[in-house]
Amino acid sequence: QALGADTPFTMLSGSEIYSLEMSRTEALSQGFRRSIGVRIKEETEIIEGEVVEIQIDKPASGSGEKRGKLTLKTTEMETIYDLGAKMIEGLQKEKVQAGDVITIDKASGKISKLGRSFTRARDYDAMGSSTKFVQCPEGELQKRKEVVHTVSLHEMDVINSRAQGFLALFAGDTGEIKPEIREQIDQ
């Protein structure tokens, strides 16, 4: 584990290999493949800025689609975005309010709250100790960001072995994986 958090490490005991509901060869090869990591670099487009204002208009009838506007700024620019129902839901789920610094992944629409802006640090007297203050982002609102994912060969095997492989990864129900799938991933 001294190699770092991104380095996959697997510890197996002899009793695990003999007690699993799969062959010993399969248990060992799964152990090896859990310990081999692959780094996947991905470049995504994000919108990053400090929230100046959020306006959400709810229909008077109570039913219908919510609409809204989000004003974001950086040190150099300020822009108003029109919001759809899904984005409004995401902003409410993250509890985003004016003064927060957020990033929005353009491809997935995922909203991440980075913290509160230093300029709003004195707006409230009472703040939790977990409140993190960050600088107002510089430059353009829309940026390209490189994200690196570390995935083990075993995780790739499981995801490709079933129709719901991604869910099997979380359930821990991996079972035996066909050698053909392993060969396909090795390519």
Side-chain angles (χ1 to χ4, degrees), residues 38-166:
V38 178
R39 281 203 175 105
I40 301 170
K41 284 186 182 177
E42 174 185 38
E43 202 171 81
T44 58
E45 284 201 13
I46 61 163
I47 299 171
E48 182 178 48
E50 178 185 332
V51 178
V52 178
E53 184 183 23
I54 302 175
Q55 288 179 318
I56 298 171
D57 304 323
K58 295 179 183 135
S61 63
S63 63
E65 215 171 274
K66 291 179 184 175
R67 293 213 150 152
K69 286 186 179 352
L70 171 70
T71 310
L72 284 179
K73 75 168 189 173
T74 63
T75 53
E76 293 173 21
M77 62 188 294
E78 188 169 308
T79 309
I80 298 171
Y81 293 98
D82 289 325
L83 300 173
K86 210 169 189 179
M87 285 301 283
I88 291 171
E89 194 179 299
L91 288 166
Q92 288 174 336
K93 198 170 107 184
E94 285 289 324
K95 297 185 176 84
V96 174
Q97 54 190 347
D100 287 341
V101 177
I102 63 169
T103 61
I104 303 169
D105 186 333
K106 282 180 79 173
S108 65
K110 184 177 176 285
I111 298 167
S112 306
K113 198 153 107 175
L114 302 177
R116 299 277 301 159
S117 173
F118 277 119
T119 55
R120 301 286 184 118
R122 292 182 198 86
D123 283 8
Y124 306 104
D125 292 339
M127 287 215 189
S129 59
S130 62
T131 307
K132 184 176 154 194
F133 290 103
V134 292
Q135 240 7 77
C136 182
E138 295 176 357
E140 296 280 319
L141 275 161
Q142 295 188 27
K143 299 178 177 121
R144 294 183 81 74
K145 190 177 187 183
E146 196 173 84
V147 184
V148 179
H149 304 283
T150 306
V151 187
S152 74
L153 287 179
H154 176 69
E155 288 168 345
M156 291 166 80
D157 290 343
V158 173
I159 290 168
N160 288 305
S161 68
R162 294 199 172 82
Q164 290 89 22
F166 194 60

Side-chain angles (χ1 to χ4, degrees), residues 33 153 156-157 160 180-187:
R33 292 178 77 82
L153 287 179
M156 291 166 80
D157 290 343
N160 288 305
E180 298 86 51
I181 290 166
R182 286 211 174 106
E183 284 171 24
Q184 183 184 350
I185 286 168
D186 289 344
Q187 299 301 322

